[in-house]
Amino acid sequence: MKQHEHRGSCHCGNLRWTLLSELSLAQLPVRTCGCRFCRKHGLLTTSDPQGEMNFILTDDTAVLRYRFDTKTADFLMCGRCGVYVGAQMEEAGRYYAIANLRTLEGEGELGMVHPMDYSREGVSERLTRRASRWTPLRTPV
């Protein structure tokens, strides 16, 4: 199968991501969460548990890591331009990530958006879900 390389970045280019996947852009799952953080940022996120993700930093001192609610993931934002690009988490010694499709570079048609509600999840359920759905992260930032 063909390997696709999907890329995205913040506005100034300081914080970038790559997602290697056998899934084309149109095949990737597209999720929108109903929590206040995601609504306020207008997020569309994606991941591929069979793929591989990487975050690339130009200046690691200009990256903001925000943890809210359950404090189970770092939501990564550029400290220069303020754009949220994705999140990372650690579970049982492995790292996983999601990408914000609003930061996608280039053009392409996204798949259908699936509204999600995670408000009833406890911490262990949240970590288990993310470890099964999020993309393995090559190197955490």
Side-chain angles (χ1 to χ4, degrees), residues 3 16-17 19 24 29 43 49 57 61 64 67 69 74 90 94 98 100 102 104 111 129 136 138-139:
Q3 189 80 343
R16 296 169 308 200
W17 58 267
L19 171 59
S24 70
L43 298 183
L57 307 173
T61 65
L64 302 174
R67 286 191 159 205
D69 196 24
D74 290 323
E90 185 267 333
R94 297 194 61 199
I98 56 171
N100 177 10
R102 299 280 192 200
L104 186 69
R129 172 187 49 82
R138 187 180 327 151
T139 306

Side-chain angles (χ1 to χ4, degrees), residues 95-135:
Y95 287 86
Y96 304 90
I98 56 171
N100 177 10
L101 286 169
R102 299 280 192 200
T103 64
L104 186 69
E105 294 175 357
E107 298 293 320
E109 190 162 326
L110 300 178
M112 188 170 82
V113 177
H114 299 278
M116 307 303 287
D117 180 3
Y118 307 118
S119 63
R120 297 188 192 278
E121 285 181 333
V123 170
S124 63
E125 293 138 332
R126 186 162 295 199
L127 292 171
T128 299
R129 172 187 49 82
R130 288 176 177 165
S132 70
R133 290 187 186 169
W134 285 20
T135 306

Side-chain angles (χ1 to χ4, degrees), residues 32-47:
T32 183
C33 173
C35 79
R36 286 186 312 187
F37 178 85
C38 292
R39 282 194 330 264
K40 287 180 183 267
H41 287 269
L43 298 183
L44 295 177
T45 60
T46 195
S47 58

Side-chain angles (χ1 to χ4, degrees), residues 10-109:
C10 65
H11 185 257
C12 71
N14 181 56
L15 180 53
R16 296 169 308 200
W17 58 267
T18 59
L19 171 59
L20 299 174
S21 175
E22 290 184 355
L23 301 175
S24 70
L25 184 59
Q27 293 172 315
L28 284 171
V30 181
R31 296 180 290 269
T32 183
C33 173
C35 79
R36 286 186 312 187
F37 178 85
C38 292
R39 282 194 330 264
K40 287 180 183 267
H41 287 269
L43 298 183
L44 295 177
T45 60
T46 195
S47 58
D48 176 5
Q50 305 306 311
E52 181 180 88
M53 193 157 163
N54 196 31
F55 290 110
I56 303 109
L57 307 173
T58 301
D59 178 1
D60 61 353
T61 65
V63 174
L64 302 174
R65 291 166 178 82
Y66 179 60
R67 286 191 159 205
F68 63 95
D69 196 24
T70 60
K71 301 190 181 348
T72 54
D74 290 323
F75 292 79
L76 305 172
M77 293 173 277
C78 179
R80 289 182 182 163
C81 65
V83 173
Y84 164 77
V85 299
Q88 66 181 20
M89 63 155 259
E90 185 267 333
E91 172 65 0
R94 297 194 61 199
Y95 287 86
Y96 304 90
I98 56 171
N100 177 10
L101 286 169
R102 299 280 192 200
T103 64
L104 186 69
E105 294 175 357
E107 298 293 320
E109 190 162 326

